[in-house]
Structure formats: C-alpha cells, structure tokens
Coordinates of all heavy atoms in Angstrom, one line a residue:
M1 N 31.1 -13.3 -33.3 CA 30.0 -13.2 -32.3 C 28.7 -13.6 -33.0 O 28.4 -13.3 -34.1 CB 29.9 -11.8 -31.9 CG 29.6 -11.9 -30.4 SD 29.6 -10.6 -29.3 CE 27.9 -10.6 -28.8
A2 N 27.9 -14.4 -32.3 CA 26.6 -14.9 -32.8 C 25.5 -13.9 -32.5 O 25.5 -13.3 -31.4 CB 26.3 -16.3 -32.3
K3 N 24.6 -13.7 -33.4 CA 23.5 -12.8 -33.2 C 22.3 -13.7 -32.9 O 22.0 -14.7 -33.6 CB 23.3 -12.1 -34.5 CG 22.2 -11.0 -34.4 CD 22.1 -10.4 -35.8 CE 20.8 -9.6 -36.0 NZ 20.6 -9.2 -37.3
I4 N 21.5 -13.3 -31.9 CA 20.4 -14.1 -31.5 C 19.2 -13.7 -32.4 O 18.8 -12.6 -32.5 CB 20.0 -13.9 -30.0 CG1 21.1 -14.4 -29.1 CG2 18.7 -14.5 -29.7 CD1 21.0 -14.1 -27.7
I5 N 18.6 -14.7 -33.1 CA 17.5 -14.5 -34.0 C 16.2 -14.8 -33.2 O 15.2 -14.0 -33.3 CB 17.5 -15.5 -35.2 CG1 18.8 -15.4 -35.9 CG2 16.3 -15.3 -36.1 CD1 19.1 -14.1 -36.6
K6 N 16.2 -15.8 -32.4 CA 15.0 -16.2 -31.6 C 15.5 -16.7 -30.3 O 16.2 -17.7 -30.2 CB 14.2 -17.2 -32.3 CG 12.8 -17.5 -31.7 CD 12.1 -18.6 -32.5 CE 10.9 -19.1 -31.8 NZ 9.6 -18.6 -32.3
N7 N 15.0 -16.0 -29.2 CA 15.5 -16.4 -27.9 C 14.3 -17.1 -27.2 O 13.5 -16.4 -26.6 CB 15.9 -15.1 -27.2 CG 16.6 -15.3 -25.9 OD1 16.7 -16.5 -25.4 ND2 17.1 -14.3 -25.2
A8 N 14.2 -18.4 -27.3 CA 13.0 -19.1 -26.8 C 13.4 -20.4 -26.2 O 14.5 -21.0 -26.5 CB 12.1 -19.3 -27.9
I9 N 12.6 -20.9 -25.3 CA 12.7 -22.2 -24.7 C 11.3 -22.8 -24.6 O 10.3 -22.1 -24.6 CB 13.3 -22.2 -23.2 CG1 12.5 -21.3 -22.3 CG2 14.8 -21.7 -23.3 CD1 12.9 -21.5 -20.8
Q10 N 11.2 -24.1 -24.4 CA 10.0 -24.8 -24.2 C 10.1 -25.5 -22.8 O 11.0 -26.2 -22.5 CB 9.6 -25.8 -25.2 CG 8.3 -26.5 -24.9 CD 7.8 -27.4 -26.1 OE1 8.6 -27.9 -26.9 NE2 6.5 -27.7 -26.1
C11 N 9.1 -25.2 -22.0 CA 9.0 -25.9 -20.7 C 8.5 -27.3 -20.9 O 7.5 -27.5 -21.5 CB 8.1 -25.1 -19.7 SG 7.9 -25.9 -18.1
K12 N 9.2 -28.3 -20.3 CA 8.8 -29.7 -20.5 C 7.7 -30.0 -19.5 O 7.0 -31.0 -19.7 CB 10.0 -30.6 -20.2 CG 11.0 -30.7 -21.2 CD 12.0 -31.8 -20.9 CE 13.3 -31.7 -21.7 NZ 14.3 -32.7 -21.2
L13 N 7.5 -29.2 -18.5 CA 6.5 -29.5 -17.5 C 5.1 -29.1 -17.9 O 4.1 -29.8 -17.7 CB 6.9 -28.9 -16.1 CG 8.3 -29.3 -15.6 CD1 8.6 -28.6 -14.3 CD2 8.5 -30.8 -15.5
C14 N 5.0 -27.9 -18.4 CA 3.7 -27.4 -18.8 C 3.5 -27.3 -20.4 O 2.4 -27.1 -20.9 CB 3.4 -26.0 -18.2 SG 4.5 -24.7 -18.7
G15 N 4.6 -27.5 -21.1 CA 4.6 -27.4 -22.6 C 4.6 -26.1 -23.2 O 4.6 -25.9 -24.4
D16 N 4.6 -25.0 -22.4 CA 4.6 -23.7 -22.9 C 5.9 -23.4 -23.7 O 7.0 -23.8 -23.2 CB 4.6 -22.6 -21.8 CG 3.2 -22.4 -21.3 OD1 2.3 -23.1 -21.7 OD2 3.0 -21.4 -20.5
I17 N 5.8 -22.7 -24.8 CA 6.9 -22.2 -25.5 C 7.0 -20.7 -25.2 O 6.0 -20.0 -25.5 CB 6.9 -22.4 -27.0 CG1 7.0 -23.9 -27.3 CG2 8.0 -21.7 -27.8 CD1 6.8 -24.3 -28.8
I18 N 8.0 -20.2 -24.6 CA 8.1 -18.8 -24.2 C 9.3 -18.2 -24.9 O 10.3 -18.8 -25.1 CB 8.2 -18.6 -22.7 CG1 9.4 -19.5 -22.1 CG2 6.9 -19.0 -22.0 CD1 9.6 -19.3 -20.6
E19 N 9.1 -16.9 -25.3 CA 10.2 -16.2 -26.0 C 10.4 -14.8 -25.5 O 9.5 -14.1 -25.2 CB 9.7 -16.1 -27.5 CG 10.7 -15.4 -28.4 CD 10.3 -15.3 -29.8 OE1 9.2 -15.8 -30.2 OE2 11.1 -14.6 -30.6
S20 N 11.7 -14.5 -25.3 CA 12.0 -13.1 -24.8 C 12.3 -12.3 -26.1 O 13.2 -12.6 -26.9 CB 13.3 -13.2 -24.0 OG 13.7 -11.9 -23.6
K21 N 11.5 -11.3 -26.3 CA 11.5 -10.6 -27.6 C 12.4 -9.3 -27.6 O 12.7 -8.8 -28.6 CB 10.1 -10.2 -28.0 CG 9.3 -11.5 -28.3 CD 8.0 -11.2 -28.9 CE 7.3 -12.5 -29.4 NZ 5.9 -12.5 -29.2
Y22 N 12.7 -8.8 -26.4 CA 13.6 -7.6 -26.3 C 14.4 -7.7 -25.0 O 14.1 -8.5 -24.1 CB 12.8 -6.3 -26.5 CG 11.6 -6.2 -25.5 CD1 11.8 -5.7 -24.2 CD2 10.4 -6.7 -25.9 CE1 10.7 -5.6 -23.4 CE2 9.3 -6.6 -25.1 CZ 9.5 -6.0 -23.8 OH 8.4 -6.0 -23.0
T23 N 15.4 -6.9 -24.9 CA 16.3 -6.9 -23.8 C 15.5 -6.6 -22.5 O 14.7 -5.7 -22.5 CB 17.4 -5.8 -23.9 OG1 18.0 -6.0 -25.2 CG2 18.5 -5.9 -22.9
H24 N 15.8 -7.4 -21.5 CA 15.1 -7.3 -20.2 C 13.6 -7.7 -20.3 O 12.8 -7.4 -19.4 CB 15.2 -5.9 -19.6 CG 16.6 -5.4 -19.4 ND1 17.6 -6.2 -18.8 CD2 17.2 -4.3 -19.9 CE1 18.7 -5.5 -18.9 NE2 18.5 -4.3 -19.5
D25 N 13.2 -8.4 -21.4 CA 11.9 -9.0 -21.5 C 12.0 -10.4 -20.8 O 12.4 -11.3 -21.4 CB 11.5 -9.1 -22.9 CG 10.1 -9.7 -23.1 OD1 9.3 -9.6 -22.2 OD2 9.8 -10.2 -24.2
F26 N 11.6 -10.4 -19.5 CA 11.7 -11.6 -18.7 C 10.4 -12.3 -18.7 O 9.4 -11.8 -18.2 CB 12.1 -11.2 -17.3 CG 12.5 -12.4 -16.4 CD1 13.8 -12.8 -16.3 CD2 11.5 -13.0 -15.6 CE1 14.1 -13.9 -15.5 CE2 11.9 -14.0 -14.8 CZ 13.2 -14.5 -14.7
V27 N 10.4 -13.5 -19.4 CA 9.1 -14.2 -19.6 C 9.2 -15.6 -18.8 O 10.2 -16.3 -18.9 CB 8.9 -14.5 -21.1 CG1 7.5 -15.1 -21.3 CG2 9.1 -13.3 -21.9
T28 N 8.1 -15.8 -18.1 CA 8.1 -17.1 -17.3 C 6.9 -17.9 -17.9 O 5.9 -17.4 -18.2 CB 7.8 -16.7 -15.8 OG1 8.8 -15.9 -15.4 CG2 7.8 -18.0 -15.0
C29 N 7.1 -19.2 -17.9 CA 6.1 -20.2 -18.4 C 4.9 -20.2 -17.4 O 5.1 -19.7 -16.2 CB 6.6 -21.5 -18.6 SG 7.1 -22.4 -17.1
S30 N 3.8 -20.8 -17.8 CA 2.6 -20.8 -16.9 C 2.8 -21.6 -15.6 O 2.1 -21.3 -14.6 CB 1.4 -21.2 -17.7 OG 1.6 -22.5 -18.3
C31 N 3.6 -22.6 -15.6 CA 3.8 -23.3 -14.3 C 4.9 -22.7 -13.4 O 5.1 -23.1 -12.3 CB 4.0 -24.8 -14.6 SG 5.7 -25.2 -15.1
G32 N 5.7 -21.8 -14.0 CA 6.7 -21.1 -13.2 C 8.0 -21.8 -13.0 O 8.9 -21.4 -12.3
A33 N 8.2 -22.9 -13.7 CA 9.4 -23.7 -13.6 C 10.6 -23.1 -14.3 O 11.7 -23.2 -13.8 CB 9.2 -25.1 -14.1
C34 N 10.4 -22.4 -15.4 CA 11.5 -21.8 -16.1 C 11.1 -20.5 -16.8 O 10.0 -20.2 -17.0 CB 12.1 -22.8 -17.1 SG 10.9 -23.7 -18.1
S35 N 12.2 -19.6 -17.0 CA 12.0 -18.3 -17.5 C 13.1 -18.0 -18.5 O 14.2 -18.6 -18.4 CB 12.1 -17.3 -16.4 OG 11.2 -17.6 -15.4
V36 N 12.9 -17.2 -19.5 CA 13.9 -16.8 -20.4 C 14.0 -15.2 -20.5 O 13.0 -14.6 -20.2 CB 13.6 -17.4 -21.8 CG1 12.3 -16.8 -22.4 CG2 14.8 -17.2 -22.8
D37 N 15.2 -14.7 -20.7 CA 15.4 -13.3 -20.6 C 16.5 -12.9 -21.7 O 17.3 -13.7 -22.1 CB 16.0 -13.0 -19.2 CG 16.1 -11.6 -18.9 OD1 15.5 -10.7 -19.6 OD2 16.9 -11.2 -18.0
G38 N 16.5 -11.7 -22.0 CA 17.6 -11.1 -22.8 C 17.3 -10.7 -24.2 O 18.1 -10.0 -24.9
G39 N 16.1 -11.1 -24.7 CA 15.8 -10.7 -26.1 C 16.8 -11.1 -27.1 O 17.3 -12.2 -27.1
H40 N 17.2 -10.1 -27.9 CA 18.2 -10.4 -29.0 C 19.6 -10.0 -28.5 O 20.6 -10.1 -29.3 CB 17.8 -9.6 -30.3 CG 16.6 -10.1 -30.9 ND1 16.4 -10.4 -32.2 CD2 15.4 -10.4 -30.3 CE1 15.2 -10.9 -32.4 NE2 14.5 -10.9 -31.3
E41 N 19.8 -9.6 -27.2 CA 21.1 -9.2 -26.7 C 21.8 -10.3 -26.1 O 23.0 -10.5 -26.3 CB 20.9 -8.1 -25.7 CG 20.4 -6.8 -26.3 CD 21.3 -6.2 -27.3 OE1 22.5 -6.1 -27.1 OE2 20.8 -5.8 -28.4
Y42 N 21.2 -11.1 -25.3 CA 21.8 -12.2 -24.6 C 20.8 -13.3 -24.3 O 19.6 -13.0 -24.3 CB 22.5 -11.8 -23.3 CG 21.6 -11.1 -22.3 CD1 21.0 -11.8 -21.3 CD2 21.4 -9.7 -22.4 CE1 20.1 -11.2 -20.4 CE2 20.5 -9.1 -21.5 CZ 19.9 -9.8 -20.5 OH 19.0 -9.2 -19.6
H43 N 21.2 -14.5 -24.0 CA 20.3 -15.6 -23.8 C 20.5 -16.1 -22.3 O 21.6 -16.5 -21.9 CB 20.7 -16.8 -24.7 CG 19.9 -18.0 -24.6 ND1 18.5 -18.0 -24.7 CD2 20.2 -19.3 -24.4 CE1 18.0 -19.2 -24.5 NE2 19.0 -20.0 -24.3
R44 N 19.5 -15.9 -21.5 CA 19.6 -16.2 -20.1 C 18.4 -17.0 -19.8 O 17.2 -16.6 -20.0 CB 19.7 -15.0 -19.2 CG 20.0 -15.4 -17.8 CD 20.4 -14.2 -17.0 NE 19.3 -13.3 -16.6 CZ 18.7 -13.3 -15.5 NH1 19.1 -14.1 -14.5 NH2 17.7 -12.5 -15.2
V45 N 18.6 -18.2 -19.2 CA 17.5 -19.1 -18.8 C 17.5 -19.3 -17.3 O 18.6 -19.6 -16.7 CB 17.5 -20.4 -19.5 CG1 16.3 -21.3 -19.1 CG2 17.5 -20.3 -21.0
V46 N 16.4 -19.1 -16.6 CA 16.3 -19.3 -15.2 C 15.4 -20.5 -15.0 O 14.3 -20.6 -15.6 CB 15.7 -18.1 -14.4 CG1 15.6 -18.3 -12.9 CG2 16.6 -16.8 -14.7
F47 N 15.9 -21.5 -14.2 CA 15.1 -22.7 -14.2 C 15.2 -23.4 -12.8 O 16.2 -23.1 -12.1 CB 15.6 -23.7 -15.2 CG 17.1 -23.9 -15.3 CD1 17.7 -24.7 -14.4 CD2 17.8 -23.2 -16.2 CE1 19.1 -24.8 -14.4 CE2 19.2 -23.3 -16.3 CZ 19.9 -24.1 -15.3
K48 N 14.2 -24.2 -12.4 CA 14.3 -24.9 -11.2 C 15.2 -26.1 -11.3 O 15.9 -26.5 -10.4 CB 12.9 -25.4 -10.8 CG 12.0 -24.3 -10.2 CD 10.7 -24.8 -9.8 CE 9.9 -23.6 -9.2 NZ 8.4 -24.0 -9.1
S49 N 15.1 -26.8 -12.5 CA 16.0 -27.9 -12.8 C 16.4 -27.8 -14.2 O 15.6 -27.5 -15.1 CB 15.2 -29.2 -12.5 OG 15.7 -30.2 -13.3
K50 N 17.6 -28.2 -14.6 CA 18.1 -28.0 -15.9 C 17.4 -29.0 -16.9 O 17.5 -28.9 -18.1 CB 19.6 -28.1 -16.0 CG 20.3 -29.4 -15.7 CD 21.8 -29.2 -16.0 CE 22.7 -30.2 -15.4 NZ 22.3 -31.6 -15.3
D51 N 16.7 -30.0 -16.3 CA 16.0 -31.0 -17.1 C 14.6 -30.5 -17.5 O 13.9 -31.2 -18.2 CB 15.9 -32.3 -16.4 CG 17.3 -32.9 -16.2 OD1 18.2 -32.7 -17.0 OD2 17.5 -33.5 -15.1
C52 N 14.2 -29.4 -17.0 CA 12.8 -29.0 -17.2 C 12.5 -28.2 -18.4 O 11.4 -27.8 -18.6 CB 12.2 -28.3 -15.9 SG 12.7 -26.6 -15.7
F53 N 13.5 -27.9 -19.2 CA 13.2 -27.1 -20.4 C 14.0 -27.6 -21.6 O 15.1 -28.3 -21.5 CB 13.5 -25.6 -20.2 CG 15.0 -25.3 -20.1 CD1 15.7 -24.9 -21.3 CD2 15.7 -25.4 -18.9 CE1 17.1 -24.6 -21.2 CE2 17.1 -25.1 -18.8 CZ 17.7 -24.7 -20.0
I54 N 13.5 -27.3 -22.8 CA 14.2 -27.6 -24.1 C 14.6 -26.2 -24.6 O 13.8 -25.3 -24.7 CB 13.3 -28.2 -25.1 CG1 12.8 -29.6 -24.5 CG2 14.0 -28.5 -26.4 CD1 11.5 -30.1 -25.2
D55 N 15.9 -26.1 -24.9 CA 16.4 -24.8 -25.4 C 16.1 -24.7 -26.9 O 16.5 -25.5 -27.7 CB 17.9 -24.7 -25.2 CG 18.5 -23.3 -25.2 OD1 18.0 -22.5 -25.9 OD2 19.3 -23.1 -24.3
L56 N 15.4 -23.6 -27.3 CA 15.0 -23.4 -28.7 C 15.7 -22.2 -29.3 O 15.3 -21.6 -30.3 CB 13.5 -23.2 -28.8 CG 12.6 -24.3 -28.3 CD1 11.1 -23.9 -28.3 CD2 12.8 -25.6 -29.1
L57 N 16.9 -21.9 -28.7 CA 17.6 -20.7 -29.2 C 18.0 -20.9 -30.6 O 18.5 -21.9 -31.0 CB 18.9 -20.6 -28.3 CG 19.8 -19.4 -28.6 CD1 19.2 -18.1 -28.3 CD2 21.1 -19.6 -27.9
V58 N 17.8 -19.8 -31.4 CA 18.3 -19.8 -32.8 C 19.3 -18.6 -32.9 O 18.9 -17.5 -32.6 CB 17.1 -19.5 -33.8 CG1 17.6 -19.5 -35.2 CG2 16.0 -20.6 -33.6
E59 N 20.5 -18.9 -33.4 CA 21.5 -17.9 -33.5 C 22.0 -17.9 -35.0 O 21.9 -18.8 -35.7 CB 22.7 -18.2 -32.6 CG 22.5 -18.0 -31.2 CD 23.7 -18.3 -30.4 OE1 24.3 -19.3 -30.6 OE2 24.0 -17.5 -29.5
E60 N 22.5 -16.7 -35.3 CA 23.1 -16.6 -36.7 C 24.5 -16.1 -36.5 O 24.8 -15.1 -35.8 CB 22.3 -15.6 -37.5 CG 22.7 -15.4 -38.9 CD 21.9 -14.3 -39.6 OE1 22.1 -13.1 -39.3 OE2 21.0 -14.7 -40.3
E61 N 25.5 -16.8 -37.1 CA 26.9 -16.4 -37.0 C 27.1 -15.1 -37.8 O 26.7 -14.9 -39.0 CB 27.8 -17.5 -37.6 CG 27.9 -18.6 -36.6 CD 28.6 -18.3 -35.3 OE1 29.4 -17.4 -35.2 OE2 28.1 -18.9 -34.3
E62 N 27.8 -14.1 -37.2 CA 28.1 -12.9 -37.8 C 29.5 -12.9 -38.3 O 30.4 -13.2 -37.5 CB 27.8 -11.7 -36.9 CG 26.4 -11.2 -36.9 CD 26.3 -9.9 -36.1 OE1 26.8 -9.8 -35.0 OE2 25.6 -9.0 -36.6
E63 N 29.8 -12.5 -39.5 CA 31.2 -12.4 -40.0 C 31.9 -11.3 -39.5 O 31.3 -10.2 -39.3 CB 31.1 -12.4 -41.6 CG 30.6 -13.7 -42.2 CD 31.5 -14.8 -42.0 OE1 32.8 -14.7 -42.1 OE2 31.1 -15.9 -41.6
Ligands
ZN1 ZN1 6.3 -24.6 -17.2

C-alpha cells in the first residue's frame, strides 16, 4: 500500500496549486474548475474536465 506524502494538484486554468492536508480537507482552486480531497488518507480529485489539472500527488511505497 502506498502512503500519500503530498496530496496536491495544479489547476491549468487558473494556475493555483492546491493541497489537501488532512482527511476531508476539501480544497477548491480559485476558478472553481477542480478540487482535491482526502489529505494523507486517500487521493480524490473533482474536476469539470480531466484536462484541466496536473496531478502533483507524491506517494511513498510502504513495505
Ligand atoms: Zn482553477
């Protein structure tokens, strides 16, 4: 199972880098096109179009 180190995305439309820092921390970019959720528990992205964000998720493999 992979552990989430940084749960973040960048919106291509407004350029915002948004990061969900804890579980149920639902963060939306300033133009409202995409959101990230889940903190270090899970990675969930809500978006208007899958082309509108860059996934910046950083994970660490757990032995
Ligand atoms: Zn945006």
Side-chain angles (χ1 to χ4, degrees):
M1 220 171 115
K3 183 181 166 191
I4 295 171
I5 304 298
K6 187 178 169 107
N7 192 355
I9 60 168
Q10 179 171 24
C11 177
K12 287 186 190 174
L13 305 183
C14 66
D16 277 10
I17 294 173
I18 52 174
E19 181 180 357
S20 177
K21 293 187 173 147
Y22 50 89
T23 311
H24 306 308
D25 181 22
F26 189 88
V27 188
T28 303
C29 72
S30 55
C31 77
C34 43
S35 308
V36 66
D37 185 24
H40 294 228
E41 294 298 314
Y42 56 93
H43 180 55
R44 187 164 76 98
V45 180
V46 179
F47 47 82
K48 283 181 177 166
S49 154
K50 67 173 162 44
D51 298 325
C52 80
F53 72 95
I54 300 163
D55 204 322
L56 302 175
L57 179 68
V58 180
E59 287 182 315
E60 184 180 78
E61 286 298 326
E62 275 186 314
E63 292 294 314

